[in-house]
Amino acid sequence: MYRNTWVEVNLDSIYDNVKTTKDICKKKYIAVVKANAYGNGDYEVARTCIEAGADMLAVSSLDEAMILRNEGYHGKLLILGATNPEDIPVLIDNHISTAAISFEWVNKVTQSNCKGLMIHLAVDTGMNRLGFKDLATLKEAFDRLLAAGCIPEGIFTHFYCSSEIDHDITNKQFQLFKEAVQSLDYPFEWIHCDNSDATIFFQDELSNACRVGISLYGLSPYTNALKSVVSLYTQIFMTKTIHKGETVGYGALHTAEEDEIIGTCPIGYADGFIRKNTGRKVYVDGEYAEVVGNVCMDQTMIRLPHDVKVGTTVEIFGDHISIEKMAQELDTISYEIMCLISERVTRKYIRHNKVMKECNQRLINSNIQKNNIISH
Ligand SMILES: *Cc1c(COP(=O)(O)O)cnc(C)c1O
């Protein structure tokens, strides 16, 4: 690591969170590691989930599925999003299952050779994103897939209000899903509807697998039994005292009203620390400190309550500022906060209580491209 801004991902806690949620749901376990495991590193997170007993991994696209295959994962793998019908041979060759998302999609797929393709039928129970809404169309698609030699190994739906206190919508969605599953009367190996939140509050008798994403990182409105996993840190690399009337950063957004100690940190919006963070608090040397002025691309200035040494760690989120609190203050959700942390930020992985690996993905990628030539 050559720049002192890093994410700490505690794999021990992910391991424990898988065990805990698995104990709650008592079903087969699909770990959702889409979007590079919510930005946290699909290889390390996937590996830990498998060690802790996950039965299948799910991603959002064929790119993400192939990345996991390239990284050496040979187990059950499902794409929850849309796959291009032209790419079906790649799925079959690599034993990757995919969602059947619409009648049009099934029509296209079954026009060429799709024998052996493993399918999970997506049932739209009201989210209006992907899937079949109408039972007759679902049945027609199912029959065509079977006739073409596809393997309908699963059926699923997705809840869109499971984090809300009132579970009426989720109950209604579940009833529609149940009707869809019963109408096909087929022994699906994988029947799944519960995301993280529903896995914790919704113990249904129909599904035989849960599909857990955000709970892997200990983020749940329903239980305190999970452990927090992800923290973001940077460091002070210089401090200075400014006087009344001096300004800080682009656009002179902040003006000092008295003498102030300003610390500069190597984190900016290119790291996913968005400009909206101005005015928010970070945690430095036992105290909260305010982000002042505009966040720059690569650097951020904070007003320190007391002078600190160069090299002092700054917590953006972690033990003192929860990722949920940060999300709330930025009008977003924890998922987005994690996904926004860019590849430029080094990830440190903790396993068996020590730093097991430090990984800067862009540096690693550039090593692979070492023999490329930009200019002589
Ligand atoms: C992202 C996603 C999940 C995981 O949701 P969490 O709320 O993170 O548990 C499950 N199923 C589908 C279809 C998804 O897109």
Side-chain angles (χ1 to χ4, degrees):
M1 185 171 80
Y2 300 127
R3 187 175 68 116
N4 300 336
T5 295
W6 70 99
V7 169
E8 213 170 85
V9 181
N10 191 319
L11 299 174
D12 293 338
S13 299
I14 292 185
Y15 184 93
D16 292 345
N17 291 339
V18 171
K19 291 276 187 206
T20 305
T21 43
K22 226 173 127 68
D23 282 350
I24 294 171
C25 90
K26 301 185 179 67
K27 291 174 182 172
K28 284 185 283 194
Y29 198 96
I30 305 171
V32 181
V33 294
K34 65 191 181 197
N36 194 23
Y38 295 19
N40 294 307
D42 55 0
Y43 173 77
E44 290 78 11
V45 173
R47 213 182 130 142
T48 309
C49 291
I50 295 298
E51 277 173 23
D55 304 288
M56 182 188 271
L57 299 178
V59 292
S60 75
S61 68
L62 181 53
D63 281 338
E64 291 178 358
M66 288 308 291
I67 290 168
L68 280 170
R69 285 289 185 245
N70 291 341
E71 288 172 345
Y73 175 65
H74 304 297
K76 293 297 291 178
L77 183 53
L78 168 65
I79 297 170
L80 295 166
T83 304
N84 295 325
E86 311 81 270
D87 295 328
I88 297 306
V90 183
L91 293 175
I92 297 171
D93 284 351
N94 291 282
H95 308 284
I96 298 166
S97 309
T98 196
I101 57 158
S102 69
F103 192 71
E104 203 187 342
W105 186 90
V106 167
N107 230 345
K108 280 195 192 136
V109 165
T110 51
Q111 270 161 31
S112 357
N113 182 15
C114 58
K115 199 166 180 297
L117 175 67
M118 293 176 287
I119 289 285
H120 288 231
L121 293 160
V123 182
D124 183 355
T125 52
M127 182 161 182
N128 286 314
R129 188 170 65 175
L130 298 177
F132 298 88
K133 273 176 116 163
D134 164 71
L135 294 190
T137 315
L138 174 69
K139 176 80 169 95
E140 174 70 20
F142 174 74
D143 289 343
R144 281 192 195 200
L145 289 165
L146 263 186
C150 294
I151 303 161
E153 64 171 6
I155 186 164
F156 72 105
T157 195
H158 193 45
F159 294 141
Y160 61 93
C161 274
S162 55
S163 62
E164 279 164 30
I165 308 294
D166 183 350
H167 298 152
D168 280 3
I169 294 175
T170 304
N171 280 314
K172 212 184 282 168
Q173 281 192 273
F174 176 71
Q175 287 311 321
L176 289 173
F177 180 54
K178 193 170 168 181
E179 276 170 41
V181 175
Q182 288 173 346
S183 76
L184 293 177
D185 191 26
Y186 182 83
F188 290 104
E189 199 183 332
W190 300 83
I191 302 172
H192 43 113
C193 54
D194 296 340
N195 56 11
S196 293
D197 290 340
T199 294
I200 291 164
F201 76 76
F202 198 73
Q203 265 87 34
D204 70 88
E205 72 287 354
L206 176 75
S207 66
N208 58 25
C210 60
R211 219 170 49 232
V212 173
I214 199 75
S215 283
L216 300 174
Y217 311 104
L219 298 161
S220 168
Y222 293 113
T223 176
N224 296 323
L226 302 176
K227 296 182 177 171
S228 71
V229 168
V230 187
S231 323
L232 175 60
Y233 301 103
T234 185
Q235 277 185 1
I236 300 287
F237 67 21
M238 84 171 284
T239 65
K240 60 178 58 112
T241 299
I242 62 169
H243 307 294
K244 183 176 159 80
E246 284 195 78
T247 66
V248 175
Y250 287 122
L253 187 68
H254 172 73
T255 307
E257 284 171 4
E258 55 188 352
D259 281 3
E260 291 181 356
I261 306 164
I262 301 296
T264 305
C265 310
I267 188 168
Y269 58 78
D271 299 297
F273 189 69
I274 61 173
R275 280 166 49 109
K276 214 175 167 183
N277 280 292
T278 296
R280 288 193 56 256
K281 296 284 169 56
V282 295
Y283 189 81
V284 196
D285 196 28
E287 291 193 82
Y288 293 91
E290 187 184 333
V291 175
V292 291
N294 278 314
V295 171
C296 308
M297 188 185 291
D298 311 309
Q299 285 160 92
T300 291
M301 281 70 88
I302 58 184
R303 182 175 53 209
L304 296 164
H306 63 267
D307 205 357
V308 300
K309 283 204 197 84
V310 165
T312 300
T313 296
V314 176
E315 175 190 312
I316 307 293
F317 62 81
D319 287 346
H320 304 90
I321 300 163
S322 73
I323 191 166
E324 284 113 325
K325 182 161 193 285
M326 176 164 176
Q328 205 176 19
E329 290 171 359
L330 293 173
D331 295 317
T332 183
I333 52 176
S334 56
Y335 301 65
E336 193 179 41
I337 301 280
M338 289 194 292
C339 286
L340 280 181
I341 303 171
S342 69
E343 268 197 328
R344 189 167 84 169
V345 180
T346 294
R347 267 65 176 179
K348 283 189 192 179
Y349 294 98
I350 313 285
R351 190 73 174 112
H352 306 302
N353 286 315
K354 53 175 190 273
V355 178
M356 167 201 97
K357 185 175 169 188
E358 239 182 61
C359 167
N360 181 311
Q361 202 53 52
R362 297 221 57 239
L363 209 49
I364 293 170
N365 292 350
S366 68
N367 249 319
I368 297 167
Q369 297 169 345
K370 240 180 187 160
N371 297 322
N372 291 1
I373 295 163
I374 291 177
S375 166
H376 285 286

